[in-house]
Amino acid sequence: MKHLVLRSTFFILYLTFAASCQNIKEKPMSAQHPVAKKIPAKLEKHGDVRIDDYYWMNDRENQDVLDHLNAENEYYAKMTSHTKKFQEELFQEMKSRIKEDDSSVPYKYNGYWYITKYETGQEYPIYSRKKESLEADDELMFNCNELAKDHEYYNLRGISISPDNTMASFAVDTVSRRQYDIQIKKLATGEVYPDKIENTTGSSVWGNDGKTLFYAKKDPVTLRSDKIYRHELGTPSTDDELIFHEKDSTFNTFVYKTKSRKFIVIGSVSTLTSEYQILSADDPKGDFKIFSPRERGLEYSIAHYNGNFYVLTNKDGATNFKLMKTSDENTSSKDWEEFIPHREDVLLEDVDIFKDYYVLSERENGLNQLKISRWDKTDSYHLPFASETYVAGTSVNLDFNTKELRYYYNEMGAPYAIIDFNMEKKTQKVLKEQEVLGGKFDKTNYRTERLWATARDGVKVPISLVHHKNTSLDGTSPLLQYAYGSYGSTIDPYFSSIRLSLLDRGFVYAIAHVRGGEYLGRPWYEDGKLLQKKNTFTDFIDCSKFLIEKEYTSADHLYASGGSAGGLLMGAIVNMAPELYNGVVAAVPFVDVVTTMLDDSIPLTTGEYDEWGNPGDKEYYDYMKSYSPYDNVVAKDYPNIYVSTGLHDSQVQYWEPAKWVAKLREHKTDDNILFLDTNMDAGHGGASGRFESLKETAKEYAFILDLESKIP
């Protein structure tokens, strides 16, 4: 009886899926794929010679390169012309679930309530504020819809309000290369100072005098943030004072103000090492002093409160981090005292400080936890979260003197909520719940669970999974498996209204929490980087095998997706286990690992040595070469693959995916689909605009759904 019910409900879902795919049933237009010319380049290191036939693509100004990318785009357009209408339907469907006339939950800072809102039919945010009361009149700061009119791409960020509330510094990128120009606006009159500070990270911070602005500049070639400048209001940026130059090419530098507003802080960080410098914000023209000198392998971050700094650090072998304390005056690591000890089974991720309370953001067995404690030690407790597939964390908490903790919460099958929790009364108020429009969404229709796959070395790898309650789990359903798995970045089981376009068509969606992230603590990251990097790839493959074995899907219906370093993961799995996947989506993929890591002129390369290793060392060179997707393309069958990139990408250069696709075309022995789709106007983050980026997701979903519709 159970099987009959499952099959009948699945049949209903299948009819829905079939009806929704009627626009992709047409036979795709036939076209000849581009064939890239071959110009052999000899690349030699450690006595090893690699011949790269497509090295010539490493020239953004070369017309032959642009012609080839355009030819690939034309091929993609012709071959997917039968899905164009369906792509538009998907886009409109995704867009229809999102509330267009929406606004953020206001937060208060220095006497003003700040609000970000969107208006119907508009792509970009509007930033405004209200003085003292939410009943006060709106004061418009920036309408990005107006500012973006003459640009294909527009990103305004880094709004920083002067201490007297009269001015705002802000930054704009119109190329999508993450090189921002900073300007200053008088909020009362709307006048923008004509002087621009070019090639910055986008962030800036005011001294307490309201006249001095600190910011970080990037190296124009490598795009590494390496210099901190001091700007005086009313003077040309050419006169700005260089106050710190980070000369170590493996470090990036940045500047910010502590929540207490007492200190300006310059940070220098690499993957494994941190160093900070501090200056009283009341003395912005003074000299910075080192907080604690950098020590290889010592990571720390600092928060200030009531005459003390609280230091989140891995000092003394605290792999999962601990919290230490030191006075304003004696900040060297030898003076730090333990405040919250290290725990083997709990990762300490952050601390939020208030007048009477502090809040620890923790992760235990992969799950977010918020622990609230009084400074006077009279009370300490965790907020209760019951699910195993949820995301929770502190939100905007800029006010010291409050008993309200603002946090967010969502489950994988239910929308997020922004909540104010009274830490004294232990009561809470939901300020906002994400609305899923369209009248069709009901969170009771979705089922979530956490599974544990056994990797080939015996390690248990968690998988967070969501599907419609009517989706059959007998091996016949399509499944999209996603992962990232690098830099200790954790992909939590978040809710996505966009994802409903798959779930409502009978898909299962799974996040594989592979090694290389920090889902199970810092050791989980350490076991998926450098000379352990292959664990990331084999974990993903072993999760795929587990999902097939447990009949959540089958190899005919399994799809994989990842972007950037997750795109490297996609490149590795199609080399290592192509037979497991019907289709793979690789967004802005980092696939030419060896060549990129050998070129220290490429943006961000030198700062990556602690993540991937320095191929100047033969041991790392050999290991990288053994998994680098581009170097391991061979003559064999590959799955259907959709690859996207951006011409102006500053993080993964466009030529990596372009070369990879060219080499795949040359060597693959199958007739499966292979697309390269290059956004000629955008960079690593894709299109700007609130809804425009949905068109890129619609392309990915249409690719997968088109493949699924062709399975007998």
Side-chain angles (χ1 to χ4, degrees), residues 42-55:
K42 182 179 178 181
L43 306 176
E44 185 172 0
K45 189 71 175 179
H46 304 300
D48 179 60
V49 176
R50 293 178 300 135
I51 302 299
D52 188 348
D53 291 324
Y54 305 107
Y55 190 81

Side-chain angles (χ1 to χ4, degrees), residues 276-300:
Y276 291 86
Q277 303 173 53
I278 58 174
L279 171 68
S280 170
D282 292 330
D283 182 27
K285 293 182 174 58
D287 296 325
F288 283 80
K289 76 165 188 175
I290 297 289
F291 185 88
S292 188
R294 65 188 67 179
E295 302 173 39
R296 173 72 176 173
L298 176 63
E299 299 173 62
Y300 70 92

Side-chain angles (χ1 to χ4, degrees), residues 286-534:
D287 296 325
F288 283 80
K289 76 165 188 175
I290 297 289
F291 185 88
S292 188
R294 65 188 67 179
E295 302 173 39
R296 173 72 176 173
L298 176 63
E299 299 173 62
Y300 70 92
S301 58
I302 57 178
H304 181 259
Y305 171 63
N306 197 25
N308 293 294
F309 280 97
Y310 291 83
V311 186
L312 185 65
T313 180
N314 67 345
K315 189 175 185 290
D316 304 320
T319 307
N320 272 334
F321 289 77
K322 61 183 177 180
L323 194 62
M324 303 188 79
K325 175 182 175 181
T326 192
S327 72
D328 286 356
E329 302 300 323
N330 301 306
T331 59
S332 175
S333 62
K334 65 181 176 59
D335 299 309
W336 299 352
E337 300 175 356
E338 194 167 272
F339 186 70
I340 302 291
H342 174 253
R343 292 158 289 174
E344 295 289 343
D345 57 345
V346 178
L347 174 66
L348 183 55
E349 295 186 313
D350 204 357
V351 58
D352 282 85
I353 291 173
F354 300 87
K355 180 176 180 291
D356 298 318
Y357 298 86
Y358 62 92
V359 180
L360 302 179
S361 295
E362 304 172 337
R363 187 181 295 273
E364 184 173 7
N365 197 30
L367 304 180
N368 299 131
Q369 295 183 342
L370 296 177
K371 184 178 182 181
I372 299 168
S373 301
R374 286 187 62 93
W375 290 109
D376 62 14
K377 300 182 180 180
T378 59
D379 200 9
S380 182
Y381 55 93
H382 283 92
L383 289 181
F385 304 124
S387 173
E388 280 199 331
T389 54
Y390 71 89
V391 183
T394 60
S395 183
V396 180
N397 291 282
L398 299 180
D399 192 357
F400 263 127
N401 191 17
T402 180
K403 293 180 172 58
E404 301 289 336
L405 168 70
R406 181 165 295 177
Y407 74 97
Y408 59 86
Y409 177 85
N410 78 254
E411 296 182 8
M412 202 173 183
Y416 75 83
I418 303 294
I419 301 164
D420 268 0
F421 179 79
N422 188 295
M423 295 180 281
E424 181 178 62
K425 297 177 181 177
K426 300 181 182 177
T427 58
Q428 65 182 32
K429 178 182 179 182
V430 176
L431 302 176
K432 179 176 181 175
E433 289 184 307
Q434 179 186 0
E435 294 183 57
V436 181
L437 302 184
K440 298 178 181 178
F441 175 74
D442 180 350
K443 64 183 179 182
T444 64
N445 284 333
Y446 303 93
R447 301 288 181 264
T448 66
E449 57 184 317
R450 185 166 64 157
L451 310 170
W452 296 84
T454 302
R456 60 197 64 187
D457 60 358
V459 171
K460 297 291 186 181
V461 182
I463 304 169
S464 295
L465 182 144
V466 62
H467 58 85
H468 194 282
K469 67 181 182 182
N470 292 336
T471 296
S472 173
L473 301 180
D474 62 358
T476 62
S477 294
L479 187 149
L480 177 60
Q481 182 181 331
Y482 172 82
Y484 184 71
S486 292
Y487 304 105
S489 179
T490 299
I491 307 300
D492 282 310
Y494 62 97
F495 173 81
S496 167
S497 68
I498 296 168
R499 191 188 300 144
L500 297 175
S501 290
L502 292 180
L503 302 185
D504 291 348
R505 289 177 168 85
F507 267 72
V508 180
Y509 185 90
I511 299 174
H513 303 290
V514 296
R515 280 173 281 187
E518 277 187 352
Y519 185 80
L520 292 180
R522 185 56 177 255
W524 199 245
Y525 168 43
E526 300 290 346
D527 208 21
K529 62 184 264 194
L530 297 174
L531 298 175
Q532 304 297 320
K533 188 64 213 170
K534 289 182 184 177

